Amino acid sequence: MAAARGSAGKDAAEDAYTAEPFVPRGADLAALREAAAGCRGCPLHREATQTVFGSGAEDARVMLVGEQPGDQEDRQGRPFVGPAGKVLMRALDEAGIDPTETYITNAVKHFKFGHLPGRGKRRIHKPPSLREMTACRPWLAEEMHLIDPEVIVALGATAGKALLGPSFRVTKQRGMLLPVPEEGARECVVATIHPSAVLRADDREAAYQGLVSDLRVVAEALGRP
Ligand code: URA
Ligand code: SF4
């Protein structure tokens, strides 16, 4: 059944999309992850298999933020374990950043997908809406607070907008150290393309080298040229 609609034709229930009531105050990372497993802050939890929370080193100096879990991540419950993850791990390594010393998460914690007509059960990734991104933001804010990294890497436009605001443009702002606009934040953001854009690019090698060179900016900021 369709949700009740107000006179403006707007879905009233959508205004209330937020993870906020599910986020425990003062929790450590393990408790946060556990609470996120039960999040119903927006409708994405309904179709997805599970919440894909961040994972990695709690003392990480680098936190990487992707868009949302993909098909593999949704099945396995961990971020960046599919094809995009492979590209990312290789690029990190090549830039001089040890992937095991990073913390990796996504701007949105549930997989959003649709089906193509005539393609059976195959799940096709759909980009999250601004509303879903905003709803999920409290989890990312808590992760940033608990991990307290020196550099945050925004992987693609969705992560860039979640971290730097809606006017963020990856083509203009990639590969440079940017301040986090949040009050009291001391970490920097470096934006780059999403690793799955490498897989879709006409010239994969050039796209991949662009990713590596942006990640070298991160490595330099950490004092590891
Ligand atoms: N793409 C993302 O943005 N995140 C993942 O975890 C996997 C693919
Ligand atoms: Fe909660 Fe985020 Fe999942 Fe929506 S996408 S249900 S806000 S964890």
Side-chain angles (χ1 to χ4, degrees), residues 66-70 73 79-80 84 106 194:
E67 182 184 72
Q68 61 163 340
E73 290 77 17
F80 285 104
N106 283 300
H194 194 285

PDB file of all heavy atoms in Angstrom, residues 66-70 73 79-80 84 106 194, ligand 1:
ATOM      1  N   GLY A  66      33.079   4.944   1.005  1.00  0.00           N
ATOM      2  CA  GLY A  66      32.489   4.652  -0.302  1.00  0.00           C
ATOM      3  C   GLY A  66      31.047   5.120  -0.362  1.00  0.00           C
ATOM      4  O   GLY A  66      30.598   5.924   0.468  1.00  0.00           O
ATOM      5  N   GLU A  67      30.316   4.619  -1.332  1.00  0.00           N
ATOM      6  CA  GLU A  67      28.929   5.042  -1.513  1.00  0.00           C
ATOM      7  C   GLU A  67      27.983   4.189  -0.680  1.00  0.00           C
ATOM      8  O   GLU A  67      27.372   4.642   0.275  1.00  0.00           O
ATOM      9  CB  GLU A  67      28.571   4.959  -2.998  1.00  0.00           C
ATOM     10  CG  GLU A  67      27.160   5.417  -3.295  1.00  0.00           C
ATOM     11  CD  GLU A  67      26.806   5.233  -4.766  1.00  0.00           C
ATOM     12  OE1 GLU A  67      26.631   4.088  -5.200  1.00  0.00           O
ATOM     13  OE2 GLU A  67      26.706   6.253  -5.469  1.00  0.00           O
ATOM     14  N   GLN A  68      27.866   2.949  -1.060  1.00  0.00           N
ATOM     15  CA  GLN A  68      26.977   2.003  -0.379  1.00  0.00           C
ATOM     16  C   GLN A  68      27.452   0.610  -0.759  1.00  0.00           C
ATOM     17  O   GLN A  68      28.154   0.435  -1.753  1.00  0.00           O
ATOM     18  CB  GLN A  68      25.538   2.203  -0.836  1.00  0.00           C
ATOM     19  CG  GLN A  68      25.379   1.958  -2.330  1.00  0.00           C
ATOM     20  CD  GLN A  68      23.946   1.735  -2.760  1.00  0.00           C
ATOM     21  OE1 GLN A  68      23.104   1.403  -1.969  1.00  0.00           O
ATOM     22  NE2 GLN A  68      23.687   1.895  -4.046  1.00  0.00           N
ATOM     23  N   PRO A  69      27.073  -0.405   0.040  1.00  0.00           N
ATOM     24  CA  PRO A  69      27.500  -1.754  -0.315  1.00  0.00           C
ATOM     25  C   PRO A  69      26.946  -2.180  -1.675  1.00  0.00           C
ATOM     26  O   PRO A  69      25.886  -1.710  -2.089  1.00  0.00           O
ATOM     27  CB  PRO A  69      26.917  -2.629   0.797  1.00  0.00           C
ATOM     28  CG  PRO A  69      26.056  -1.760   1.636  1.00  0.00           C
ATOM     29  CD  PRO A  69      26.301  -0.347   1.273  1.00  0.00           C
ATOM     30  N   GLY A  70      27.669  -3.035  -2.349  1.00  0.00           N
ATOM     31  CA  GLY A  70      27.199  -3.620  -3.601  1.00  0.00           C
ATOM     32  C   GLY A  70      26.668  -5.028  -3.344  1.00  0.00           C
ATOM     33  O   GLY A  70      26.487  -5.430  -2.193  1.00  0.00           O
ATOM     34  N   GLU A  73      28.981  -7.233  -1.169  1.00  0.00           N
ATOM     35  CA  GLU A  73      29.054  -6.707   0.197  1.00  0.00           C
ATOM     36  C   GLU A  73      27.769  -7.024   0.959  1.00  0.00           C
ATOM     37  O   GLU A  73      27.792  -7.369   2.138  1.00  0.00           O
ATOM     38  CB  GLU A  73      29.292  -5.190   0.162  1.00  0.00           C
ATOM     39  CG  GLU A  73      30.682  -4.776  -0.311  1.00  0.00           C
ATOM     40  CD  GLU A  73      30.882  -4.874  -1.819  1.00  0.00           C
ATOM     41  OE1 GLU A  73      29.872  -4.946  -2.569  1.00  0.00           O
ATOM     42  OE2 GLU A  73      32.044  -4.889  -2.261  1.00  0.00           O
ATOM     43  N   PRO A  79      32.326  -4.265   3.848  1.00  0.00           N
ATOM     44  CA  PRO A  79      32.474  -3.305   2.748  1.00  0.00           C
ATOM     45  C   PRO A  79      33.627  -3.663   1.814  1.00  0.00           C
ATOM     46  O   PRO A  79      34.634  -4.234   2.238  1.00  0.00           O
ATOM     47  CB  PRO A  79      32.762  -1.984   3.469  1.00  0.00           C
ATOM     48  CG  PRO A  79      33.354  -2.371   4.778  1.00  0.00           C
ATOM     49  CD  PRO A  79      32.747  -3.702   5.143  1.00  0.00           C
ATOM     50  N   PHE A  80      33.476  -3.323   0.554  1.00  0.00           N
ATOM     51  CA  PHE A  80      34.528  -3.445  -0.461  1.00  0.00           C
ATOM     52  C   PHE A  80      35.179  -4.836  -0.540  1.00  0.00           C
ATOM     53  O   PHE A  80      36.390  -4.964  -0.538  1.00  0.00           O
ATOM     54  CB  PHE A  80      35.587  -2.343  -0.261  1.00  0.00           C
ATOM     55  CG  PHE A  80      35.099  -1.002  -0.732  1.00  0.00           C
ATOM     56  CD1 PHE A  80      34.692  -0.029   0.162  1.00  0.00           C
ATOM     57  CD2 PHE A  80      35.015  -0.724  -2.089  1.00  0.00           C
ATOM     58  CE1 PHE A  80      34.210   1.207  -0.289  1.00  0.00           C
ATOM     59  CE2 PHE A  80      34.545   0.506  -2.549  1.00  0.00           C
ATOM     60  CZ  PHE A  80      34.151   1.478  -1.640  1.00  0.00           C
ATOM     61  N   ALA A  84      35.084  -3.791  -6.991  1.00  0.00           N
ATOM     62  CA  ALA A  84      35.567  -2.428  -6.707  1.00  0.00           C
ATOM     63  C   ALA A  84      36.586  -2.459  -5.565  1.00  0.00           C
ATOM     64  O   ALA A  84      37.572  -1.711  -5.565  1.00  0.00           O
ATOM     65  CB  ALA A  84      34.402  -1.510  -6.356  1.00  0.00           C
ATOM     66  N   ASN A 106      31.022   3.045   4.326  1.00  0.00           N
ATOM     67  CA  ASN A 106      30.227   3.620   3.241  1.00  0.00           C
ATOM     68  C   ASN A 106      29.322   4.726   3.770  1.00  0.00           C
ATOM     69  O   ASN A 106      28.931   4.714   4.940  1.00  0.00           O
ATOM     70  CB  ASN A 106      29.354   2.529   2.599  1.00  0.00           C
ATOM     71  CG  ASN A 106      30.145   1.622   1.685  1.00  0.00           C
ATOM     72  OD1 ASN A 106      30.743   2.065   0.713  1.00  0.00           O
ATOM     73  ND2 ASN A 106      30.177   0.334   2.026  1.00  0.00           N
ATOM     74  N   HIS A 194      35.371   6.995  -7.535  1.00  0.00           N
ATOM     75  CA  HIS A 194      34.993   5.719  -6.942  1.00  0.00           C
ATOM     76  C   HIS A 194      35.738   4.605  -7.679  1.00  0.00           C
ATOM     77  O   HIS A 194      35.838   4.654  -8.912  1.00  0.00           O
ATOM     78  CB  HIS A 194      33.481   5.522  -7.077  1.00  0.00           C
ATOM     79  CG  HIS A 194      32.986   4.414  -6.224  1.00  0.00           C
ATOM     80  ND1 HIS A 194      33.195   3.100  -6.552  1.00  0.00           N
ATOM     81  CD2 HIS A 194      32.349   4.419  -5.046  1.00  0.00           C
ATOM     82  CE1 HIS A 194      32.679   2.343  -5.603  1.00  0.00           C
ATOM     83  NE2 HIS A 194      32.157   3.124  -4.673  1.00  0.00           N
TER      84      HIS A 194
HETATM   85  N1  URA B   1      31.051   0.204  -3.629  1.00  0.00           N
HETATM   86  C1  URA B   1      30.962   0.967  -2.522  1.00  0.00           C
HETATM   87  O1  URA B   1      30.794   2.177  -2.584  1.00  0.00           O
HETATM   88  N2  URA B   1      31.084   0.365  -1.366  1.00  0.00           N
HETATM   89  C2  URA B   1      31.283  -0.925  -1.220  1.00  0.00           C
HETATM   90  O2  URA B   1      31.372  -1.380  -0.083  1.00  0.00           O
HETATM   91  C3  URA B   1      31.378  -1.706  -2.379  1.00  0.00           C
HETATM   92  C4  URA B   1      31.253  -1.122  -3.582  1.00  0.00           C
END
